[in-house]
Amino acid sequence: MAARTDIFAPDFQRRPYWWEAFEPPQPEDGLLPASTDVAIVGAGYAGICCALELRKAGIEAVVLERGRPGQGASTRSGGQVSGGVNVQKKALAAVGETAAQREDRLAARLRDAAESMTYVESLIQEHRIECGWHKTGRLTAMWVPAHHQSWQGRIGQLNACANAQARMLSRDELRGEIGSEIYYGAVLVGRAGHLHPALLYGGMLRAALQSGARVYGNTPVRRIERKHGHYAVVTPRGTVRAERVVIATNGYTGPNLAGLRRKVVPVTSHMIATEELSPDLAASLLPTNRAVSESRRVVNHYRLSPDGRRLLFGGRARFTPASEETTARLLYRAMIKRFPQLAGVRITHSWGGNVAMTLDSMPHIGGSEGLYYALGCNGSGVAMMSYLGHCVGRKIATNTREPINAFDQGEIPGHPFYFGNPWFLFAIGSWYQARDAYDYWRARHSSGNPTMTRRP
């Protein structure tokens, strides 16, 4: 197909492709309740799943969202689901920790990360959520040969602790999985898949409302004040008295939320959706319909749409604010480097959403004196944020002070020079992109393989 000068379809939209099936609902007007048992700040996966768990225990739950419920990352993500892969990849050693202690801690986190996927599957089944769930596995595509070698030492632990059903694929084996010659093999994680994130959220929201949770949009929280034996959650629409408060704002954490903005780094991830492809062309890209992520520092990820008719391609297109047209062009260029057969295919949707990174690269739940939080998806929001919200709800319902899981380990680490403004992302992101490009260039030239001629 000949390349076109304009990559945008006539009906191009600057909004998530997912919203064609479920768009975050417009909030209804009305008075806020004067009081509740638990006020939850943030109506994404974590906030809604927390409310669901509280209502199962007969505890009142009011969810406050500054915009439309679900308008953040919960209806904007790539929709990939796995349990444990990202936790293992990003685990860092703690200060003063022995090798044995680190292994024990990582094993516990892997087990609980695996539970996050189990939890999402149970929600889908229990509430009969039709969300295009394809449990077809996930490929981590190797950017350079050294990544393939390093992954070989991780497979045993991943399978033993997270039941990942993972195995290595050679470059020749990968040709049956991805219609691209750009990678040096892959890891196939069998216990993984992809779904429609907005339809999943819509099903969760419906279940929470039916359980008796109350969800209020257009209700930004200005501040949370500690009173005698309770909290006052102050909003432009009024103040809600709550016995306990949960902050579940993740990559959209504001400045007045218990200092937690200084503990998370919001990073915008961007995505594009292609126009509908011919069945043969779609099948040539991902014949086994698996989700794909890369082993690069600055990751690209992609999968087919739930109906198998489009490619949905994402990544960190820019580390500074940019228009949807700009990020679409950058992602389109990356997509064509991986799939030259898509040259000339046009883009129908371009959008972005914030993920929340933490300084130790781990998700966190915790809190004290009735003020709790669930933050830090680190790029694994569909399963992890849902699970963390559920766990915070269970922690409150059981009234325990003991850690509820391996991510309930005290305060989120901070840094004395970070105040919530990620001014450093451009420099770090640019450096990582340069390292990725250099590593690939060096691997390509050292391999002497004539097929590795395109610079991603």
Side-chain angles (χ1 to χ4, degrees), residues 17 27 45 71 113 116 157-159 170 176 178 196 211 236 238 278 280 295 299 343 366 396 454 456:
Y17 162 74
Y45 290 142
Q71 73 174 27
S116 71
Q157 183 189 50
L158 193 58
N159 286 336
S170 69
I178 303 176
H196 192 302
S211 74
S278 70
D280 289 344
S295 65
V299 176
I396 293 172
R454 297 182 178 88

Side-chain angles (χ1 to χ4, degrees), residues 80 257 272 334:
Q80 296 193 20
L257 297 179
I272 53 175

Side-chain angles (χ1 to χ4, degrees), residues 343-393:
V345 168
R346 292 181 292 181
I347 302 304
T348 60
H349 299 75
S350 175
W351 69 98
N354 288 354
V355 299
M357 314 301 287
T358 55
L359 298 184
D360 65 350
S361 300
M362 283 292 119
H364 287 271
I365 62 174
S368 61
E369 298 182 351
L371 182 61
Y372 301 85
Y373 56 81
L375 298 167
C377 67
N378 288 277
S380 300
V382 176
M384 187 55 69
M385 294 312 298
S386 302
Y387 178 66
L388 294 185
H390 156 75
C391 288
V392 170

Side-chain angles (χ1 to χ4, degrees), residues 325-353:
E325 287 85 355
T326 297
T327 57
R329 291 186 186 279
L330 292 168
L331 289 176
Y332 186 86
R333 184 170 64 188
M335 181 181 74
I336 296 302
K337 295 295 185 182
R338 289 147 180 79
F339 298 108
Q341 60 267 48
L342 290 179
V345 168
R346 292 181 292 181
I347 302 304
T348 60
H349 299 75
S350 175
W351 69 98

Side-chain angles (χ1 to χ4, degrees), residues 273-315:
T274 69
E275 62 189 350
E276 290 192 6
L277 309 174
S278 70
D280 289 344
L281 180 55
S284 78
L285 306 177
L286 295 167
T288 54
N289 193 24
R290 305 195 201 277
V292 180
S293 184
E294 296 175 339
S295 65
R296 290 162 42 109
R297 296 173 181 85
V298 182
V299 176
N300 287 108
H301 56 87
Y302 49 89
R303 37 78 62 99
L304 294 175
S305 57
D307 60 10
R309 297 178 181 179
R310 304 168 187 257
L311 186 70
L312 308 176
F313 190 93

